[in-house]
Each structure stands twice: as C-alpha cells, then as structure tokens.
Amino acid sequence: MNGTSTRSKLGGPMAESRRKRLFGIQACFRSNLVMLGLWKKTGTYRERPHVVFDGRYVLLLRSGDQYSFSSTLPVLNSADNSHYSVSQLDYQWIPLPENNYELQLDIFVPMSNASFDSLIYFVFLNYHLDYHSDVEAEVALYDSLQLPYSTTSITVLGRLTPDQKQPFRWREYYELLNQTRRDAEYYKPSEIMRRITIQPFNVRLDRKMQLPVGSTLRDGQFHLKMNIIVAEDEFLYRCDLWELLKWAAVQYATVYLVSKHK
C-alpha cells in the first residue's frame, strides 16, 4: 500500500508535467498549421521578367497654359494636332552581367524656341512572366517632373521594379490601352494615368536618378534619355487548393510525429 501510494505521489506530478509539455507542443504546431497551412493565402517567388519595348510613348511638356506633346498614339495626335510635335526615337538593349539587361532610350522633341517647366512621360512596355504564374501585362513607366529653368535635356536612370497591388493567380492578363478605341478622351494623359493607378500590376523605377542639363547636342530640341535596368525581382502569388492541401498535410504529419514520440 505504501509503495503504491509513493508511486502515485511521484508519478502524478511527472505525468501532469509531461501532458502539459505535450499539450504545449501540439498547440504550437496547431497554431503553425492555421497560420502557415490552411490559412496560407499567398507566397512569393523570384523571376527575371521578359520585357519588350515596341516604341510606344507619350511626352507632354508644359509651362502654365502652354504645352506641347509628342506621342505614338494616332488618335491622340489627330485630336490635338495644333500642339503635336513629331519626335525622334532611338533605343537599344544592352546585355549586363548575371543575365540582366538595360534599355537605353533617347527621345528628341522639337521645342520651337519655347521654354517649359514640367515634363510628363509615359513609356509603354510589354511585361511577361512564366516561371510560376503566366503573366502578360501591358505596363507603363510614367512620371511628372519639374524642370529647372532653361532645361533642354534630362536623363532618368533606374531599375525596373514591379508595382504589384494584388497577388497573381495562375494566369493573368492586363491591358492598359485598347488600340481599337477611337475616342480621344481615352488616350489623354490624365486618363492613362488614372487607369495605371487602378490596374493591379504596373512597374516603376527604383533607385531613380534624374539629371537635368541646360544644353543638348541638338539645338532647338528637348532630349529625354532613359537608362532602365531589368533584373530578377520578387513577385507575390495566390496559393491554389493543391498548395494549401500540401501545407496542411505537412503540418498535420509534423503534429502526429511529435505527439507519437512524446
């Protein structure tokens, strides 16, 4: 009787402590299961995008009520022909180390002896991803810049970076400009900018530098020069059912093995 009573006194607290430890481990893994398994909604991956520039752009030079623009959008050019200027475009792709590459772009716009204090530009790109999600996106680099007095040339340098507002599904297609549209309002810079802000995916320049200068090699012209580096980047995707089930299975198996060996 005394021996039985002694084992009960010694074994009781030890068993209780063991049960508490096991309960804590199980609770921890169940928490991980909820946070990382069944409730895992998104994931990330890295890929170097395939970017194509097909020569489309819009440049708008302003000073008060005075403005001049150049674009490759025929409907916009015809709608405001009195302020339209024919520009010249030169561009090339330069290979860089680690399979990166750089788009070097030069646009020359006649200034007609006018002086402007601001520049708005849109450079349209076709952006493709296929490693995890199949993404086809028409995107635009755009910005509004203040120009110092007598500036006739500006250089913009930076790294192309995704501006992703929501995770990718398995397939995504984003169209910024519907070329079948014939209404001029659709192609106005303010309307293009509005659509860019609501499109779930676009691009921007990271680590951007702007270098304005007061002279150019071509008299009477405004010169926009851009050096855009394209490199590997990180993207967000939405987990599908199979990935959720895989995560759940791993978490449940871990809980089971820990419980069995404790």
Side-chain angles (χ1 to χ4, degrees):
M1 293 294 292
N2 291 339
T4 302
S5 177
T6 302
R7 284 196 299 270
S8 177
K9 290 179 180 179
L10 294 177
M14 292 177 62
E16 181 66 21
S17 176
R18 182 180 178 184
R19 283 195 296 270
K20 287 182 178 179
R21 289 199 305 270
L22 180 58
F23 177 79
I25 293 172
Q26 290 175 332
C28 177
F29 278 101
R30 289 193 184 102
S31 176
N32 288 339
L33 173 63
V34 172
M35 297 300 294
L36 299 176
L38 294 177
W39 293 104
K40 177 180 169 65
K41 300 299 184 183
T42 61
T44 59
Y45 71 99
R46 298 190 66 83
E47 182 179 354
R48 182 179 298 100
H50 179 61
V51 179
V52 175
F53 174 61
D54 57 10
R56 294 179 300 139
Y57 60 89
V58 176
L59 263 66
L60 175 62
L61 291 161
R62 301 189 68 103
S63 182
D65 295 332
Q66 180 184 9
Y67 70 93
S68 177
F69 78 95
S70 184
S71 88
T72 56
L73 307 178
V75 175
L76 179 63
N77 300 343
S78 299
D80 194 5
N81 189 58
S82 61
H83 292 96
Y84 168 68
S85 297
V86 178
S87 57
Q88 178 180 337
L89 167 69
D90 297 319
Y91 72 92
Q92 60 179 333
W93 290 97
I94 305 297
L96 299 177
E98 300 181 359
N99 294 323
N100 300 328
Y101 49 99
E102 179 181 79
L103 172 60
Q104 296 183 353
L105 182 150
D106 295 89
I107 303 175
F108 298 90
V109 184
M111 295 184 66
S112 303
N113 297 320
S115 178
F116 300 99
D117 57 21
S118 68
L119 165 69
I120 298 175
Y121 68 81
F122 300 85
V123 176
F124 302 101
L125 303 168
N126 296 317
Y127 197 99
H128 179 61
L129 300 169
D130 59 10
Y131 176 72
H132 186 279
S133 300
D134 187 4
V135 178
E136 288 284 353
E138 182 184 28
V139 297
L141 277 175
Y142 77 100
D143 205 349
S144 177
L145 308 176
Q146 294 300 309
L147 303 176
Y149 178 73
S150 75
T151 297
T152 56
S153 178
I154 188 167
T155 299
V156 179
L157 314 172
R159 180 181 181 275
L160 193 69
T161 302
D163 185 7
Q164 189 176 0
K165 299 181 180 67
Q166 64 185 37
F168 293 140
R169 296 169 296 184
W170 182 249
R171 292 182 184 274
E172 296 285 8
Y173 177 76
Y174 304 112
E175 182 182 63
L176 192 59
L177 293 176
N178 181 354
Q179 299 290 342
T180 64
R181 294 283 295 266
R182 290 294 177 263
D183 49 315
E185 187 71 25
Y186 180 79
Y187 296 96
K188 286 185 176 180
S190 58
E191 176 61 20
I192 296 175
M193 192 176 300
R194 185 193 67 81
R195 292 201 301 276
I196 290 174
T197 59
I198 63 176
Q199 182 165 281
F201 181 78
N202 197 55
V203 293
R204 56 183 171 81
L205 284 182
D206 194 17
R207 290 175 284 184
K208 182 173 64 176
M209 295 180 60
Q210 298 160 194
L211 307 173
V213 296
S215 62
T216 182
L217 296 176
R218 306 189 181 196
D219 293 337
Q221 292 186 323
F222 181 85
H223 177 203
L224 171 64
K225 179 179 179 63
M226 300 187 73
N227 289 18
I228 304 164
I229 296 175
V230 180
E232 183 182 273
D233 229 313
E234 185 173 272
F235 302 92
L236 187 68
Y237 69 92
R238 181 174 299 152
C239 296
D240 57 21
L241 176 61
W242 290 112
E243 186 162 1
L244 292 178
L245 291 176
K246 179 184 70 175
W247 273 93
V250 171
Q251 299 297 324
Y252 274 122
T254 304
V255 172
Y256 172 76
L257 291 174
V258 172
S259 302
K260 183 178 180 181
H261 292 285
K262 285 293 182 180

